[in-house]
Amino acid sequence: IRRPPRSTPSNSSAASDVYKRQVLIHAVRLAVTGFSVSPGLFELLSLLGKEIVIRRLKKALDYLQT
């Protein structure tokens, strides 16, 4: 039995999605740590905890709005 081909996004669409994720991850990393390079972001967020992460994101947003 042959399966029908999967519907996959075009290469440019997939590349665009990857780029958007990279930009978001870099911005969150910078806001939370103050550095552009850090250990894995998701592990770092887990270690810091929800309250600290939210406080740091709000502080970064306040800074950007001034």
Side-chain angles (χ1 to χ4, degrees):
I1 299 174
R2 293 183 72 183
R3 293 183 181 174
R6 286 190 199 177
S7 174
T8 58
S10 68
N11 286 341
S12 62
S13 175
S16 175
D17 290 345
V18 169
Y19 176 75
K20 289 175 187 176
R21 281 192 300 268
Q22 290 172 344
V23 169
L24 179 62
I25 287 172
H26 183 73
V28 171
R29 176 181 286 119
L30 187 59
V32 171
T33 67
F35 297 100
S36 60
V37 178
S38 73
L41 179 63
F42 301 107
E43 293 82 6
L44 183 65
L45 296 177
S46 177
L47 287 172
L48 289 174
K50 182 179 179 178
E51 293 80 18
I52 291 174
V53 170
I54 290 173
R55 184 173 3 128
R56 290 184 182 185
L57 288 172
K58 285 181 179 180
K59 186 176 178 180
L61 185 59
D62 289 343
Y63 176 78
L64 291 173
Q65 291 177 341
T66 58

